[in-house]
Amino acid sequence: MRVFVTGAGGQVGREVVAALRDHDVVAADHAALDVSDRDAVLQAVTTSVPDAIVHLGAWTAVDACETDPDRALVVNSLGTRHVADAARRIGARVCYLSTDYVFDGTKPDPYVEWDTPHPLSVYGRSKYRGECEVDPDATIVRTSWVCGRHGHNMVKTILRLAADRKDLAFVDDQHGHPTFAGDLALMVVRLVVDRRPGLFHVTNQGVASWYEFARAVVESAGLDASLVRPIATRDLDPPRPAPRPANSVLDNAALRGSGLPMLPHFRDSLESLVADLTRA
Ligand SMILES: NC(=O)c1ccc[n+]([C@@H]2O[C@H](COP(=O)([O-])OP(=O)(O)OC[C@H]3O[C@@H](n4cnc5c(N)ncnc54)[C@H](OP(=O)(O)O)[C@@H]3O)[C@@H](O)[C@H]2O)c1
């Protein structure tokens, strides 16, 4: 298959490109292609004529999106419209990455693919509007709390602070599935190669609060987990501009119902990521 990847330089993008090693990949990072530039998207896609487009390019700075909603819409929603339009012209399938932040977190149980989105933040709304731009035969993968080998992420930050024995306060009232970019990328590629349409929640298994996840990171590195203490979201000082859902837990119901394998438990993937990062 020939697969075009937008946002190929991001933490998921680099893993998706690696997972596509047996295919013909056109990897477009932000510098190579700005998805908000309609002409550029049409030209890049219609020139390379891929079978599929994995659309990862997005403005992911959740708090910054609150102060620039126009930019969030232009990149995340309108950018996705351009990708969908270009794909339609050449008959390529689209796989769009979306987020747990499409939900408001008030449901007492895990969210399934058929629950109604109600985003709380500008970022969540812009990503949800992106979902609405792709055709019904597209694949939409919603994931959550992504970390991995590349780019900035929570695991790297926690390891750095814990090594300096800094006090680590994390909220204990927001729960989700931590997800590892390498594991996620393998399933994204499988869904694309299998040409499976529709919405899939794809996360690692195992639920944690940010506090519990931070403890797990510190423990995996053999450091002192008592450095990590729980706080409530209302105690964050300063408060974060973008509201986050208290319940971010995505039930991978469509994967399970399709007989596809679940991603590993986050603790297993965390062990190998921390081993990689601390060896480096
Ligand atoms: N990280 C998470 O926890 C999470 C959770 C759920 C869903 N997602 C979704 O997963 C996808 C991949 O995210 P990620 O974690 O890999 O984040 P990331 O590391 O920030 O990757 C996103 C990439 O998109 C690029 N980008 C930004 N604006 C762009 C534009 N106008 N045109 C083209 N590319 C642009 C960024 O480049 P620059 O950095 O150079 O601007 C970056 O390389 C995104 O669609 C995101 O919404 C992420």
Side-chain angles (χ1 to χ4, degrees):
M1 264 179 117
R2 171 171 289 187
V3 185
F4 190 104
V5 182
T6 73
Q11 60 169 342
V12 178
R14 291 179 64 175
E15 296 288 1
V16 165
V17 170
L20 283 165
R21 66 183 76 77
D22 296 334
H23 298 271
D24 178 10
V25 188
V26 184
D29 64 12
H30 190 178
L33 179 65
D34 177 349
V35 296
S36 64
D37 181 340
R38 177 173 181 266
D39 291 343
V41 172
L42 290 181
Q43 203 204 347
V45 170
T46 55
T47 306
S48 54
V49 201
D51 301 297
I53 304 175
V54 180
H55 174 37
L56 307 169
W59 191 31
T60 58
V62 175
D63 289 316
C65 284
E66 292 296 310
T67 48
D68 196 348
D70 286 351
R71 178 174 165 195
L73 274 183
V74 166
V75 176
N76 297 345
S77 318
L78 208 49
T80 305
R81 177 179 300 181
H82 301 329
V83 169
D85 180 21
R88 222 171 272 130
R89 289 171 190 235
I90 55 156
R93 304 180 57 81
V94 172
C95 176
Y96 171 65
L97 259 282
S98 188
T99 169
D100 51 319
Y101 288 3
V102 301
F103 294 119
D104 62 17
T106 55
K107 188 182 174 187
D109 306 309
Y111 283 94
V112 295
E113 289 82 348
W114 295 272
D115 284 322
T116 305
H118 181 232
L120 300 174
S121 61
V122 168
Y123 170 76
R125 277 195 292 280
S126 69
K127 292 294 295 182
Y128 178 55
R129 287 173 184 153
E131 289 187 9
C132 301
E133 294 290 346
V134 299
D135 288 346
D137 72 341
T139 310
I140 298 174
V141 171
R142 287 198 195 123
T143 191
S144 60
W145 297 21
V146 179
C147 36
R149 291 179 296 166
H150 306 293
H152 300 290
N153 60 58
M154 198 61 111
V155 173
K156 291 183 182 177
T157 305
I158 293 167
L159 288 177
R160 185 168 33 81
L161 295 172
D164 293 345
R165 298 198 57 78
K166 292 265 169 45
D167 173 47
L168 294 168
F170 283 90
V171 297
D172 198 23
D173 54 4
Q174 291 172 25
H175 290 81
H177 283 301
T179 300
F180 292 82
D183 297 332
L184 171 66
L186 292 176
M187 184 53 73
V188 165
V189 169
R190 176 152 185 186
L191 294 171
V192 168
V193 170
D194 285 0
R195 297 177 165 79
R196 288 188 189 253
L199 189 48
F200 291 87
H201 290 172
V202 180
T203 63
N204 282 92
Q205 299 305 292
V207 174
S209 68
W210 281 113
Y211 161 70
E212 291 163 337
F213 184 56
R215 276 188 73 99
V217 173
V218 172
E219 281 163 7
S220 301
L223 298 167
D224 179 6
S226 68
L227 293 169
V228 188
R229 61 187 175 85
I231 56 170
T233 300
R234 67 173 176 282
D235 295 332
L236 281 171
D237 185 20
R240 300 177 84 179
R244 268 79 170 165
N247 175 18
S248 261
V249 182
L250 300 178
D251 186 356
N252 294 194
L255 272 193
R256 197 171 52 246
S258 306
L260 289 164
M262 295 289 113
L263 271 48
H265 195 284
F266 79 81
R267 284 184 183 271
D268 297 333
S269 299
L270 179 61
E271 291 289 333
S272 35
L273 176 63
V274 169
D276 275 0
L277 292 175
T278 49
R279 213 178 13 242

PDB file of all heavy atoms in Angstrom, residues 57-86:
ATOM      1  N   GLY A  57      -1.648  15.220  11.672  1.00  0.00           N
ATOM      2  CA  GLY A  57      -1.249  16.621  11.850  1.00  0.00           C
ATOM      3  C   GLY A  57      -2.326  17.366  12.620  1.00  0.00           C
ATOM      4  O   GLY A  57      -3.484  17.380  12.217  1.00  0.00           O
ATOM      5  N   ALA A  58      -1.944  17.953  13.740  1.00  0.00           N
ATOM      6  CA  ALA A  58      -2.936  18.642  14.576  1.00  0.00           C
ATOM      7  C   ALA A  58      -2.217  19.606  15.507  1.00  0.00           C
ATOM      8  O   ALA A  58      -1.040  19.401  15.839  1.00  0.00           O
ATOM      9  CB  ALA A  58      -3.714  17.621  15.408  1.00  0.00           C
ATOM     10  N   TRP A  59      -2.935  20.642  15.928  1.00  0.00           N
ATOM     11  CA  TRP A  59      -2.411  21.526  16.965  1.00  0.00           C
ATOM     12  C   TRP A  59      -2.837  20.917  18.294  1.00  0.00           C
ATOM     13  O   TRP A  59      -4.020  20.950  18.649  1.00  0.00           O
ATOM     14  CB  TRP A  59      -2.952  22.942  16.786  1.00  0.00           C
ATOM     15  CG  TRP A  59      -2.247  23.929  17.666  1.00  0.00           C
ATOM     16  CD1 TRP A  59      -0.946  23.868  18.072  1.00  0.00           C
ATOM     17  CD2 TRP A  59      -2.792  25.119  18.236  1.00  0.00           C
ATOM     18  NE1 TRP A  59      -0.645  24.955  18.866  1.00  0.00           N
ATOM     19  CE2 TRP A  59      -1.744  25.733  18.985  1.00  0.00           C
ATOM     20  CE3 TRP A  59      -4.049  25.726  18.190  1.00  0.00           C
ATOM     21  CZ2 TRP A  59      -1.940  26.920  19.683  1.00  0.00           C
ATOM     22  CZ3 TRP A  59      -4.236  26.916  18.878  1.00  0.00           C
ATOM     23  CH2 TRP A  59      -3.192  27.505  19.616  1.00  0.00           C
ATOM     24  N   THR A  60      -1.885  20.304  18.988  1.00  0.00           N
ATOM     25  CA  THR A  60      -2.205  19.477  20.158  1.00  0.00           C
ATOM     26  C   THR A  60      -1.943  20.192  21.492  1.00  0.00           C
ATOM     27  O   THR A  60      -2.039  19.562  22.544  1.00  0.00           O
ATOM     28  CB  THR A  60      -1.394  18.167  20.125  1.00  0.00           C
ATOM     29  OG1 THR A  60       0.002  18.492  20.089  1.00  0.00           O
ATOM     30  CG2 THR A  60      -1.733  17.325  18.906  1.00  0.00           C
ATOM     31  N   ALA A  61      -1.602  21.485  21.430  1.00  0.00           N
ATOM     32  CA  ALA A  61      -1.340  22.241  22.670  1.00  0.00           C
ATOM     33  C   ALA A  61      -2.692  22.610  23.299  1.00  0.00           C
ATOM     34  O   ALA A  61      -3.262  23.673  23.019  1.00  0.00           O
ATOM     35  CB  ALA A  61      -0.514  23.469  22.354  1.00  0.00           C
ATOM     36  N   VAL A  62      -3.195  21.702  24.135  1.00  0.00           N
ATOM     37  CA  VAL A  62      -4.584  21.775  24.612  1.00  0.00           C
ATOM     38  C   VAL A  62      -4.875  23.108  25.320  1.00  0.00           C
ATOM     39  O   VAL A  62      -5.916  23.732  25.070  1.00  0.00           O
ATOM     40  CB  VAL A  62      -4.868  20.575  25.548  1.00  0.00           C
ATOM     41  CG1 VAL A  62      -6.264  20.670  26.155  1.00  0.00           C
ATOM     42  CG2 VAL A  62      -4.700  19.273  24.777  1.00  0.00           C
ATOM     43  N   ASP A  63      -3.976  23.567  26.175  1.00  0.00           N
ATOM     44  CA  ASP A  63      -4.227  24.823  26.894  1.00  0.00           C
ATOM     45  C   ASP A  63      -4.107  26.035  25.970  1.00  0.00           C
ATOM     46  O   ASP A  63      -4.913  26.960  26.048  1.00  0.00           O
ATOM     47  CB  ASP A  63      -3.277  24.942  28.094  1.00  0.00           C
ATOM     48  CG  ASP A  63      -3.657  23.956  29.188  1.00  0.00           C
ATOM     49  OD1 ASP A  63      -4.868  23.832  29.477  1.00  0.00           O
ATOM     50  OD2 ASP A  63      -2.763  23.282  29.727  1.00  0.00           O
ATOM     51  N   ALA A  64      -3.115  26.017  25.086  1.00  0.00           N
ATOM     52  CA  ALA A  64      -2.940  27.142  24.161  1.00  0.00           C
ATOM     53  C   ALA A  64      -4.149  27.288  23.233  1.00  0.00           C
ATOM     54  O   ALA A  64      -4.513  28.403  22.839  1.00  0.00           O
ATOM     55  CB  ALA A  64      -1.659  26.955  23.350  1.00  0.00           C
ATOM     56  N   CYS A  65      -4.796  26.179  22.889  1.00  0.00           N
ATOM     57  CA  CYS A  65      -5.978  26.239  22.011  1.00  0.00           C
ATOM     58  C   CYS A  65      -7.073  27.144  22.622  1.00  0.00           C
ATOM     59  O   CYS A  65      -7.829  27.790  21.894  1.00  0.00           O
ATOM     60  CB  CYS A  65      -6.562  24.841  21.787  1.00  0.00           C
ATOM     61  SG  CYS A  65      -5.644  23.801  20.623  1.00  0.00           S
ATOM     62  N   GLU A  66      -7.158  27.183  23.972  1.00  0.00           N
ATOM     63  CA  GLU A  66      -8.201  27.996  24.621  1.00  0.00           C
ATOM     64  C   GLU A  66      -8.070  29.465  24.254  1.00  0.00           C
ATOM     65  O   GLU A  66      -9.067  30.181  24.187  1.00  0.00           O
ATOM     66  CB  GLU A  66      -8.125  27.854  26.150  1.00  0.00           C
ATOM     67  CG  GLU A  66      -8.506  26.494  26.675  1.00  0.00           C
ATOM     68  CD  GLU A  66      -9.964  26.107  26.417  1.00  0.00           C
ATOM     69  OE1 GLU A  66     -10.869  26.925  26.725  1.00  0.00           O
ATOM     70  OE2 GLU A  66     -10.197  25.003  25.919  1.00  0.00           O
ATOM     71  N   THR A  67      -6.817  29.929  24.050  1.00  0.00           N
ATOM     72  CA  THR A  67      -6.628  31.352  23.781  1.00  0.00           C
ATOM     73  C   THR A  67      -6.596  31.666  22.288  1.00  0.00           C
ATOM     74  O   THR A  67      -6.529  32.827  21.907  1.00  0.00           O
ATOM     75  CB  THR A  67      -5.332  31.874  24.445  1.00  0.00           C
ATOM     76  OG1 THR A  67      -4.284  30.974  24.133  1.00  0.00           O
ATOM     77  CG2 THR A  67      -5.491  31.974  25.941  1.00  0.00           C
ATOM     78  N   ASP A  68      -6.613  30.627  21.450  1.00  0.00           N
ATOM     79  CA  ASP A  68      -6.620  30.871  20.002  1.00  0.00           C
ATOM     80  C   ASP A  68      -7.546  29.852  19.308  1.00  0.00           C
ATOM     81  O   ASP A  68      -7.097  28.987  18.546  1.00  0.00           O
ATOM     82  CB  ASP A  68      -5.191  30.783  19.441  1.00  0.00           C
ATOM     83  CG  ASP A  68      -5.080  31.398  18.053  1.00  0.00           C
ATOM     84  OD1 ASP A  68      -6.141  31.681  17.441  1.00  0.00           O
ATOM     85  OD2 ASP A  68      -3.948  31.582  17.577  1.00  0.00           O
ATOM     86  N   PRO A  69      -8.869  29.983  19.596  1.00  0.00           N
ATOM     87  CA  PRO A  69      -9.803  28.995  19.040  1.00  0.00           C
ATOM     88  C   PRO A  69      -9.844  29.001  17.516  1.00  0.00           C
ATOM     89  O   PRO A  69     -10.079  27.953  16.903  1.00  0.00           O
ATOM     90  CB  PRO A  69     -11.164  29.398  19.620  1.00  0.00           C
ATOM     91  CG  PRO A  69     -10.971  30.657  20.377  1.00  0.00           C
ATOM     92  CD  PRO A  69      -9.508  30.955  20.496  1.00  0.00           C
ATOM     93  N   ASP A  70      -9.561  30.153  16.910  1.00  0.00           N
ATOM     94  CA  ASP A  70      -9.577  30.200  15.436  1.00  0.00           C
ATOM     95  C   ASP A  70      -8.488  29.298  14.872  1.00  0.00           C
ATOM     96  O   ASP A  70      -8.717  28.544  13.924  1.00  0.00           O
ATOM     97  CB  ASP A  70      -9.351  31.632  14.933  1.00  0.00           C
ATOM     98  CG  ASP A  70     -10.583  32.497  15.134  1.00  0.00           C
ATOM     99  OD1 ASP A  70     -11.633  31.929  15.505  1.00  0.00           O
ATOM    100  OD2 ASP A  70     -10.479  33.717  14.946  1.00  0.00           O
ATOM    101  N   ARG A  71      -7.298  29.376  15.470  1.00  0.00           N
ATOM    102  CA  ARG A  71      -6.195  28.535  14.981  1.00  0.00           C
ATOM    103  C   ARG A  71      -6.526  27.053  15.185  1.00  0.00           C
ATOM    104  O   ARG A  71      -6.247  26.219  14.314  1.00  0.00           O
ATOM    105  CB  ARG A  71      -4.892  28.913  15.709  1.00  0.00           C
ATOM    106  CG  ARG A  71      -3.730  28.059  15.285  1.00  0.00           C
ATOM    107  CD  ARG A  71      -2.415  28.536  15.901  1.00  0.00           C
ATOM    108  NE  ARG A  71      -1.393  27.504  15.769  1.00  0.00           N
ATOM    109  CZ  ARG A  71      -0.249  27.488  16.441  1.00  0.00           C
ATOM    110  NH1 ARG A  71       0.028  28.469  17.284  1.00  0.00           N
ATOM    111  NH2 ARG A  71       0.621  26.516  16.278  1.00  0.00           N
ATOM    112  N   ALA A  72      -7.138  26.736  16.333  1.00  0.00           N
ATOM    113  CA  ALA A  72      -7.506  25.330  16.591  1.00  0.00           C
ATOM    114  C   ALA A  72      -8.467  24.828  15.516  1.00  0.00           C
ATOM    115  O   ALA A  72      -8.321  23.717  14.993  1.00  0.00           O
ATOM    116  CB  ALA A  72      -8.126  25.201  17.985  1.00  0.00           C
ATOM    117  N   LEU A  73      -9.442  25.671  15.174  1.00  0.00           N
ATOM    118  CA  LEU A  73     -10.413  25.264  14.147  1.00  0.00           C
ATOM    119  C   LEU A  73      -9.756  25.143  12.780  1.00  0.00           C
ATOM    120  O   LEU A  73     -10.022  24.198  12.032  1.00  0.00           O
ATOM    121  CB  LEU A  73     -11.540  26.300  14.061  1.00  0.00           C
ATOM    122  CG  LEU A  73     -12.702  26.130  15.032  1.00  0.00           C
ATOM    123  CD1 LEU A  73     -13.756  27.190  14.770  1.00  0.00           C
ATOM    124  CD2 LEU A  73     -13.331  24.742  14.894  1.00  0.00           C
ATOM    125  N   VAL A  74      -8.899  26.110  12.462  1.00  0.00           N
ATOM    126  CA  VAL A  74      -8.278  26.113  11.132  1.00  0.00           C
ATOM    127  C   VAL A  74      -7.401  24.871  10.948  1.00  0.00           C
ATOM    128  O   VAL A  74      -7.442  24.209   9.915  1.00  0.00           O
ATOM    129  CB  VAL A  74      -7.482  27.425  10.915  1.00  0.00           C
ATOM    130  CG1 VAL A  74      -6.571  27.311   9.710  1.00  0.00           C
ATOM    131  CG2 VAL A  74      -8.443  28.590  10.731  1.00  0.00           C
ATOM    132  N   VAL A  75      -6.613  24.538  11.973  1.00  0.00           N
ATOM    133  CA  VAL A  75      -5.707  23.387  11.827  1.00  0.00           C
ATOM    134  C   VAL A  75      -6.472  22.072  12.001  1.00  0.00           C
ATOM    135  O   VAL A  75      -6.405  21.176  11.148  1.00  0.00           O
ATOM    136  CB  VAL A  75      -4.541  23.466  12.846  1.00  0.00           C
ATOM    137  CG1 VAL A  75      -3.667  22.208  12.742  1.00  0.00           C
ATOM    138  CG2 VAL A  75      -3.714  24.725  12.622  1.00  0.00           C
ATOM    139  N   ASN A  76      -7.208  21.950  13.099  1.00  0.00           N
ATOM    140  CA  ASN A  76      -7.754  20.634  13.466  1.00  0.00           C
ATOM    141  C   ASN A  76      -9.052  20.300  12.712  1.00  0.00           C
ATOM    142  O   ASN A  76      -9.276  19.134  12.361  1.00  0.00           O
ATOM    143  CB  ASN A  76      -7.983  20.571  14.973  1.00  0.00           C
ATOM    144  CG  ASN A  76      -6.674  20.705  15.750  1.00  0.00           C
ATOM    145  OD1 ASN A  76      -5.593  20.571  15.180  1.00  0.00           O
ATOM    146  ND2 ASN A  76      -6.756  20.981  17.035  1.00  0.00           N
ATOM    147  N   SER A  77      -9.898  21.297  12.489  1.00  0.00           N
ATOM    148  CA  SER A  77     -11.184  21.000  11.834  1.00  0.00           C
ATOM    149  C   SER A  77     -11.076  21.224  10.326  1.00  0.00           C
ATOM    150  O   SER A  77     -11.331  20.311   9.528  1.00  0.00           O
ATOM    151  CB  SER A  77     -12.287  21.895  12.409  1.00  0.00           C
ATOM    152  OG  SER A  77     -12.183  21.998  13.806  1.00  0.00           O
ATOM    153  N   LEU A  78     -10.683  22.451   9.957  1.00  0.00           N
ATOM    154  CA  LEU A  78     -10.614  22.759   8.528  1.00  0.00           C
ATOM    155  C   LEU A  78      -9.493  21.955   7.850  1.00  0.00           C
ATOM    156  O   LEU A  78      -9.644  21.490   6.717  1.00  0.00           O
ATOM    157  CB  LEU A  78     -10.371  24.266   8.370  1.00  0.00           C
ATOM    158  CG  LEU A  78     -10.885  24.949   7.116  1.00  0.00           C
ATOM    159  CD1 LEU A  78     -12.342  24.610   6.824  1.00  0.00           C
ATOM    160  CD2 LEU A  78     -10.732  26.469   7.281  1.00  0.00           C
ATOM    161  N   GLY A  79      -8.376  21.773   8.562  1.00  0.00           N
ATOM    162  CA  GLY A  79      -7.284  20.954   8.014  1.00  0.00           C
ATOM    163  C   GLY A  79      -7.781  19.565   7.673  1.00  0.00           C
ATOM    164  O   GLY A  79      -7.409  18.980   6.644  1.00  0.00           O
ATOM    165  N   THR A  80      -8.634  19.025   8.524  1.00  0.00           N
ATOM    166  CA  THR A  80      -9.182  17.688   8.269  1.00  0.00           C
ATOM    167  C   THR A  80     -10.134  17.723   7.067  1.00  0.00           C
ATOM    168  O   THR A  80     -10.186  16.779   6.276  1.00  0.00           O
ATOM    169  CB  THR A  80      -9.875  17.156   9.537  1.00  0.00           C
ATOM    170  OG1 THR A  80      -8.923  17.211  10.602  1.00  0.00           O
ATOM    171  CG2 THR A  80     -10.371  15.741   9.353  1.00  0.00           C
ATOM    172  N   ARG A  81     -10.861  18.828   6.909  1.00  0.00           N
ATOM    173  CA  ARG A  81     -11.714  18.961   5.713  1.00  0.00           C
ATOM    174  C   ARG A  81     -10.861  18.897   4.453  1.00  0.00           C
ATOM    175  O   ARG A  81     -11.218  18.232   3.466  1.00  0.00           O
ATOM    176  CB  ARG A  81     -12.481  20.285   5.762  1.00  0.00           C
ATOM    177  CG  ARG A  81     -13.333  20.520   4.522  1.00  0.00           C
ATOM    178  CD  ARG A  81     -14.108  21.814   4.592  1.00  0.00           C
ATOM    179  NE  ARG A  81     -15.022  21.843   5.738  1.00  0.00           N
ATOM    180  CZ  ARG A  81     -15.841  22.845   6.029  1.00  0.00           C
ATOM    181  NH1 ARG A  81     -15.889  23.912   5.244  1.00  0.00           N
ATOM    182  NH2 ARG A  81     -16.626  22.804   7.086  1.00  0.00           N
ATOM    183  N   HIS A  82      -9.705  19.594   4.471  1.00  0.00           N
ATOM    184  CA  HIS A  82      -8.841  19.596   3.277  1.00  0.00           C
ATOM    185  C   HIS A  82      -8.326  18.182   2.985  1.00  0.00           C
ATOM    186  O   HIS A  82      -8.278  17.755   1.832  1.00  0.00           O
ATOM    187  CB  HIS A  82      -7.646  20.538   3.485  1.00  0.00           C
ATOM    188  CG  HIS A  82      -8.035  21.958   3.771  1.00  0.00           C
ATOM    189  ND1 HIS A  82      -9.182  22.534   3.258  1.00  0.00           N
ATOM    190  CD2 HIS A  82      -7.427  22.912   4.514  1.00  0.00           C
ATOM    191  CE1 HIS A  82      -9.259  23.792   3.687  1.00  0.00           C
ATOM    192  NE2 HIS A  82      -8.216  24.039   4.451  1.00  0.00           N
ATOM    193  N   VAL A  83      -7.940  17.472   4.042  1.00  0.00           N
ATOM    194  CA  VAL A  83      -7.428  16.108   3.857  1.00  0.00           C
ATOM    195  C   VAL A  83      -8.538  15.210   3.292  1.00  0.00           C
ATOM    196  O   VAL A  83      -8.315  14.432   2.348  1.00  0.00           O
ATOM    197  CB  VAL A  83      -6.871  15.553   5.190  1.00  0.00           C
ATOM    198  CG1 VAL A  83      -6.577  14.062   5.084  1.00  0.00           C
ATOM    199  CG2 VAL A  83      -5.617  16.320   5.606  1.00  0.00           C
ATOM    200  N   ALA A  84      -9.748  15.346   3.846  1.00  0.00           N
ATOM    201  CA  ALA A  84     -10.872  14.517   3.380  1.00  0.00           C
ATOM    202  C   ALA A  84     -11.201  14.836   1.921  1.00  0.00           C
ATOM    203  O   ALA A  84     -11.470  13.927   1.119  1.00  0.00           O
ATOM    204  CB  ALA A  84     -12.092  14.747   4.273  1.00  0.00           C
ATOM    205  N   ASP A  85     -11.160  16.105   1.575  1.00  0.00           N
ATOM    206  CA  ASP A  85     -11.467  16.538   0.208  1.00  0.00           C
ATOM    207  C   ASP A  85     -10.436  15.961  -0.763  1.00  0.00           C
ATOM    208  O   ASP A  85     -10.787  15.390  -1.814  1.00  0.00           O
ATOM    209  CB  ASP A  85     -11.465  18.076   0.189  1.00  0.00           C
ATOM    210  CG  ASP A  85     -11.770  18.656  -1.177  1.00  0.00           C
ATOM    211  OD1 ASP A  85     -12.363  17.944  -2.017  1.00  0.00           O
ATOM    212  OD2 ASP A  85     -11.414  19.829  -1.414  1.00  0.00           O
ATOM    213  N   ALA A  86      -9.160  16.081  -0.392  1.00  0.00           N
ATOM    214  CA  ALA A  86      -8.096  15.568  -1.276  1.00  0.00           C
ATOM    215  C   ALA A  86      -8.231  14.053  -1.440  1.00  0.00           C
ATOM    216  O   ALA A  86      -8.086  13.521  -2.546  1.00  0.00           O
ATOM    217  CB  ALA A  86      -6.728  15.918  -0.676  1.00  0.00           C
TER     218      ALA A  86
END
